[in-house]
Protein backbone atom coordinates (compact mmCIF):
# COMPACT_ATOMS: atom_id res chain seq x y z
CA UNK A 1 0.00 0.00 0.00
CA UNK A 2 1.45 3.37 -1.03
CA UNK A 3 1.22 6.21 1.44
CA UNK A 4 1.81 9.79 0.33
CA UNK A 5 1.92 12.89 2.46
CA UNK A 6 2.18 16.50 1.41
CA UNK A 7 4.72 18.92 2.83
CA UNK A 8 5.95 22.44 2.16
CA UNK A 9 8.18 22.86 -0.87
CA UNK A 10 9.58 25.87 1.00
CA UNK A 11 9.08 26.04 4.74
CA UNK A 12 9.24 29.17 6.91
CA UNK A 13 11.45 27.25 9.40
CA UNK A 14 13.55 25.71 6.61
CA UNK A 15 12.71 22.20 7.69
CA UNK A 16 13.54 22.42 11.38
CA UNK A 17 10.63 20.19 12.32
CA UNK A 18 7.93 22.77 12.98
CA UNK A 19 5.73 22.23 9.93
CA UNK A 20 3.02 19.76 10.80
CA UNK A 21 4.02 17.12 8.29
CA UNK A 22 6.67 16.38 10.94
CA UNK A 23 4.00 14.78 13.15
CA UNK A 24 2.89 12.49 10.39
CA UNK A 25 6.43 11.59 9.37
CA UNK A 26 7.28 10.82 13.00
CA UNK A 27 4.19 8.63 13.47
CA UNK A 28 4.96 6.70 10.28
CA UNK A 29 8.55 6.21 11.41
CA UNK A 30 7.44 5.00 14.86
CA UNK A 31 5.32 2.26 13.32
CA UNK A 32 7.80 1.49 10.55
CA UNK A 33 5.69 2.40 7.51
CA UNK A 34 7.34 3.74 4.35
CA UNK A 35 5.83 6.82 2.75
CA UNK A 36 6.28 9.14 -0.17
CA UNK A 37 6.20 12.92 -0.02
CA UNK A 38 4.67 15.34 -2.50
CA UNK A 39 6.03 18.84 -2.01
CA UNK A 40 3.60 21.70 -2.61
CA UNK A 41 4.19 25.40 -3.02
CA UNK A 42 2.06 27.98 -1.20
CA UNK A 43 0.34 28.68 -4.52
CA UNK A 44 -0.40 25.01 -5.20
CA UNK A 45 -1.85 24.56 -1.69
CA UNK A 46 -4.62 27.02 -2.55
CA UNK A 47 -5.47 25.48 -5.93
CA UNK A 48 -8.47 23.18 -6.51
CA UNK A 49 -6.39 19.99 -6.85
CA UNK A 50 -4.93 20.40 -3.38
CA UNK A 51 -8.14 21.77 -1.89
CA UNK A 52 -9.86 18.57 -2.97
CA UNK A 53 -7.57 16.87 -0.44
CA UNK A 54 -7.48 19.67 2.11
CA UNK A 55 -10.46 22.04 2.26
CA UNK A 56 -8.39 24.69 4.05
CA UNK A 57 -5.56 24.62 1.54
CA UNK A 58 -2.87 23.53 3.99
CA UNK A 59 -0.40 20.75 4.63
CA UNK A 60 -0.17 18.00 5.68
CA UNK A 61 -2.45 15.67 3.77
CA UNK A 62 -2.27 11.89 3.72
CA UNK A 63 -3.26 9.50 0.95
CA UNK A 64 -3.44 5.76 1.38
CA UNK A 65 -5.20 3.84 -1.38
CA UNK A 66 -8.62 5.47 -1.81
CA UNK A 67 -8.42 7.24 1.52
CA UNK A 68 -7.45 10.92 1.66
CA UNK A 69 -7.12 12.65 5.02
CA UNK A 70 -6.25 16.10 6.28
CA UNK A 71 -5.55 17.40 9.85
CA UNK A 72 -2.32 16.18 11.37
CA UNK A 73 -4.10 14.89 14.50
CA UNK A 74 -6.57 12.82 12.48
CA UNK A 75 -3.77 11.41 10.34
CA UNK A 76 -1.65 10.46 13.36
CA UNK A 77 -4.73 8.88 14.98
CA UNK A 78 -5.47 6.89 11.82
CA UNK A 79 -1.91 5.54 11.79
CA UNK A 80 -1.85 4.90 15.53
CA UNK A 81 -5.16 3.03 15.51
CA UNK A 82 -3.96 0.53 12.96
CA UNK A 83 -0.41 -0.15 14.05
CA UNK A 84 0.84 -1.07 17.48
CA UNK A 85 3.41 1.22 19.15
CA UNK A 86 1.50 4.47 19.32
CA UNK A 87 -1.60 3.49 21.31
CA UNK A 88 -1.84 1.01 24.19
CA UNK A 89 -3.84 -2.18 23.65
CA UNK A 90 -5.69 -1.81 26.96
CA UNK A 91 -8.98 0.02 26.24
CA UNK A 92 -8.78 2.44 29.15
CA UNK A 93 -5.12 3.29 28.63
CA UNK A 94 -5.92 3.79 24.96
CA UNK A 95 -8.75 6.19 25.76
CA UNK A 96 -6.44 8.19 28.04
CA UNK A 97 -3.74 8.36 25.35
CA UNK A 98 -6.36 9.66 22.92
CA UNK A 99 -7.37 12.28 25.50
CA UNK A 100 -3.73 13.45 25.52
CA UNK A 101 -3.80 13.66 21.72
CA UNK A 102 -6.81 15.95 21.90
CA UNK A 103 -5.37 18.02 24.72
CA UNK A 104 -2.11 18.57 22.83
CA UNK A 105 -4.00 19.97 19.84
CA UNK A 106 -7.02 21.48 21.52
CA UNK A 107 -5.79 22.81 24.86
CA UNK A 108 -2.03 23.30 24.68
CA UNK A 109 -1.43 24.21 21.05
CA UNK A 110 -3.96 27.09 20.62
CA UNK A 111 -2.40 29.55 23.12
CA UNK A 112 1.06 28.72 21.77
CA UNK A 113 -0.03 29.45 18.19
CA UNK A 114 -1.87 32.59 19.23
CA UNK A 115 1.28 33.91 20.92
CA UNK A 116 3.44 32.93 17.96
CA UNK A 117 1.10 34.64 15.50
CA UNK A 118 1.19 37.83 17.59
CA UNK A 119 4.99 37.78 17.65
CA UNK A 120 5.28 37.14 13.93
CA UNK A 121 2.39 39.05 12.44
CA UNK A 122 1.15 41.67 14.89
CA UNK A 123 4.31 43.27 16.26
CA UNK A 124 3.61 46.58 14.58
CA UNK A 125 0.07 46.97 15.95
CA UNK A 126 -0.42 49.74 18.49
CA UNK A 127 -1.74 47.25 21.07
CA UNK A 128 0.98 44.64 20.55
CA UNK A 129 3.06 45.51 23.62
CA UNK A 130 0.00 45.45 25.87
CA UNK A 131 -1.31 42.18 24.54
CA UNK A 132 1.96 40.23 24.60
CA UNK A 133 2.11 39.66 28.38
CA UNK A 134 -1.48 38.41 28.29
CA UNK A 135 -0.59 35.88 25.59
CA UNK A 136 2.58 34.88 27.45
CA UNK A 137 0.58 34.27 30.63
CA UNK A 138 -1.92 32.07 28.83
CA UNK A 139 0.91 29.88 27.59
CA UNK A 140 2.57 29.97 31.03
CA UNK A 141 -0.63 28.73 32.64
CA UNK A 142 -0.91 25.76 30.33
CA UNK A 143 2.76 24.87 30.68
CA UNK A 144 2.55 25.04 34.47
CA UNK A 145 -0.44 22.70 34.48
CA UNK A 146 1.20 20.29 32.06
CA UNK A 147 4.46 20.38 33.98
CA UNK A 148 2.62 19.62 37.24
CA UNK A 149 0.92 16.64 35.69
CA UNK A 150 4.03 15.26 34.04
CA UNK A 151 6.12 15.60 37.20
CA UNK A 152 9.08 13.21 37.02
CA UNK A 153 7.37 10.78 34.64
CA UNK A 154 8.99 9.87 31.37
CA UNK A 155 5.80 10.16 29.30
CA UNK A 156 2.31 11.51 29.97
CA UNK A 157 0.60 8.22 30.78
CA UNK A 158 2.79 5.14 30.97
CA UNK A 159 4.49 4.13 27.74
CA UNK A 160 5.20 6.58 24.90
CA UNK A 161 2.04 7.13 22.85
CA UNK A 162 0.59 9.25 20.06
CA UNK A 163 -0.40 11.67 22.85
CA UNK A 164 3.29 12.23 23.64
CA UNK A 165 4.15 12.46 19.96
CA UNK A 166 1.67 15.28 19.43
CA UNK A 167 2.48 17.00 22.73
CA UNK A 168 6.21 17.03 21.99
CA UNK A 169 5.63 18.53 18.54
CA UNK A 170 3.40 21.20 20.07
CA UNK A 171 5.93 22.08 22.79
CA UNK A 172 8.74 22.21 20.24
CA UNK A 173 7.17 25.38 18.89
CA UNK A 174 8.47 27.00 22.09
CA UNK A 175 12.00 25.61 21.75
CA UNK A 176 14.48 28.23 22.84
CA UNK A 177 11.71 30.32 24.44
CA UNK A 178 12.14 31.28 28.09
CA UNK A 179 8.57 30.09 28.66
CA UNK A 180 9.48 26.45 28.08
CA UNK A 181 12.80 26.99 29.87
CA UNK A 182 10.86 27.72 33.08
CA UNK A 183 10.02 23.99 33.31
CA UNK A 184 13.02 21.69 33.33
CA UNK A 185 10.80 18.61 33.26
CA UNK A 186 9.09 19.80 30.05
CA UNK A 187 12.46 20.57 28.44
CA UNK A 188 13.65 17.08 29.34
CA UNK A 189 10.38 15.62 28.04
CA UNK A 190 10.83 17.34 24.66
CA UNK A 191 14.46 16.20 24.54
CA UNK A 192 13.36 12.60 25.22
CA UNK A 193 10.96 12.81 22.30
CA UNK A 194 13.60 14.29 20.03
CA UNK A 195 16.06 11.55 21.03
CA UNK A 196 13.81 8.79 19.73
CA UNK A 197 15.29 7.21 16.59
CA UNK A 198 11.95 7.54 14.76
CA UNK A 199 11.87 11.26 15.52
CA UNK A 200 15.39 11.67 14.24
CA UNK A 201 14.64 9.87 10.99
CA UNK A 202 11.56 12.04 10.48
CA UNK A 203 13.46 15.21 11.30
CA UNK A 204 16.30 14.32 8.93
CA UNK A 205 13.84 13.56 6.13
CA UNK A 206 12.07 16.89 6.55
CA UNK A 207 15.33 18.82 6.78
CA UNK A 208 16.71 17.08 3.69
CA UNK A 209 14.02 18.75 1.57
CA UNK A 210 15.59 22.10 2.37
CA UNK A 211 19.24 21.20 2.50
CA UNK A 212 18.81 19.53 -0.90
CA UNK A 213 17.50 22.86 -2.19
CA UNK A 214 20.79 24.46 -1.14
N1 LIG B 1 -4.88 21.96 12.21
C1 LIG B 1 -4.09 21.69 11.04
C2 LIG B 1 -3.20 22.89 10.80
C3 LIG B 1 -2.47 22.78 9.49
C4 LIG B 1 -1.56 23.96 9.27
O1 LIG B 1 -1.67 25.00 9.92
N2 LIG B 1 -0.64 23.78 8.31
C5 LIG B 1 0.30 24.83 8.02
C6 LIG B 1 1.71 24.25 7.99
S1 LIG B 1 2.20 23.63 9.56
C7 LIG B 1 0.02 25.39 6.64
O2 LIG B 1 -0.29 24.66 5.72
N3 LIG B 1 0.15 26.71 6.51
C8 LIG B 1 0.01 27.38 5.26
C9 LIG B 1 -1.33 28.04 5.12
O3 LIG B 1 -2.18 27.92 6.05
O4 LIG B 1 -1.52 28.69 4.11
C10 LIG B 1 -3.27 20.41 11.22
O5 LIG B 1 -2.92 20.10 12.37
O6 LIG B 1 -3.01 19.72 10.24
Amino acid sequence: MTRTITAFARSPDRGRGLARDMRVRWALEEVGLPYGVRLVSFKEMKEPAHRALHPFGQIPTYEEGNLALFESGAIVFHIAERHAALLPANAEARARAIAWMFSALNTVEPPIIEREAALLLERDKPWAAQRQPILDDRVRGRLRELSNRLGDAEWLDGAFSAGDLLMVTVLRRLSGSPLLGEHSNLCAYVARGEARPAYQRAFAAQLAVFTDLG
Side-chain angles (χ1 to χ4, degrees):
M1 171 86 68
T2 310
R3 292 172 183 80
T4 307
I5 68 168
T6 50
F8 280 146
R10 292 201 178 260
S11 179
D13 78 333
R14 294 198 58 78
R16 296 312 193 272
L18 296 185
R20 291 173 177 83
D21 56 297
M22 178 64 197
R23 298 167 177 176
V24 179
R25 291 175 185 269
W26 186 6
L28 289 165
E29 292 287 353
E30 288 284 349
V31 301
L33 289 175
Y35 62 97
V37 182
R38 193 168 61 249
L39 300 177
V40 288
S41 67
F42 275 83
K43 181 171 173 289
E44 284 164 341
M45 278 193 298
K46 309 301 172 193
E47 285 170 357
H50 187 75
R51 280 197 195 271
L53 295 172
H54 197 309
F56 306 108
Q58 297 182 312
I59 60 100
T61 61
Y62 175 86
E63 290 155 84
E64 177 196 290
N66 292 326
L67 175 70
L69 287 176
F70 61 99
E71 282 296 334
S72 59
I75 300 168
V76 170
F77 184 46
H78 171 77
I79 296 163
E81 264 197 318
R82 282 158 185 79
H83 303 89
L86 284 174
L87 283 175
N90 172 274
E92 290 187 1
R94 197 176 180 90
R96 289 195 304 272
I98 294 167
W100 279 116
M101 293 179 71
F102 276 87
S103 82
L105 301 185
N106 208 31
T107 301
V108 181
E109 184 168 54
I112 293 176
I113 297 294
E114 187 75 12
R115 174 180 176 272
E116 192 178 288
L119 286 171
L120 290 174
L121 308 172
E122 297 164 3
R123 266 183 191 283
D124 57 341
K125 303 288 184 219
W127 34 260
Q130 266 183 307
R131 187 164 180 248
Q132 200 56 52
I134 298 170
L135 298 176
D136 287 354
D137 279 351
R138 281 191 198 137
V139 172
R140 272 205 178 86
R142 284 292 178 248
L143 294 183
R144 190 170 51 247
E145 290 156 342
L146 184 66
S147 169
N148 287 343
R149 171 54 78 100
L150 179 67
D152 294 331
E154 194 176 10
W155 306 114
L156 289 166
D157 191 316
F160 176 83
S161 78
D164 295 296
L165 185 152
L166 291 177
M167 193 66 83
V168 167
T169 62
V170 165
L171 295 178
R172 279 196 79 252
R173 299 197 83 92
L174 292 169
S175 290
S177 149
L179 298 187
L180 189 65
E182 287 167 12
H183 299 282
S184 58
N185 66 338
L186 294 184
C187 294
Y189 172 67
V190 171
R192 270 194 297 281
E194 291 172 340
R196 292 177 72 84
Y199 175 93
Q200 294 189 359
R201 287 194 296 274
F203 186 90
Q206 198 196 55
L207 185 60
V209 173
F210 302 95
T211 45
D212 289 352
L213 282 176

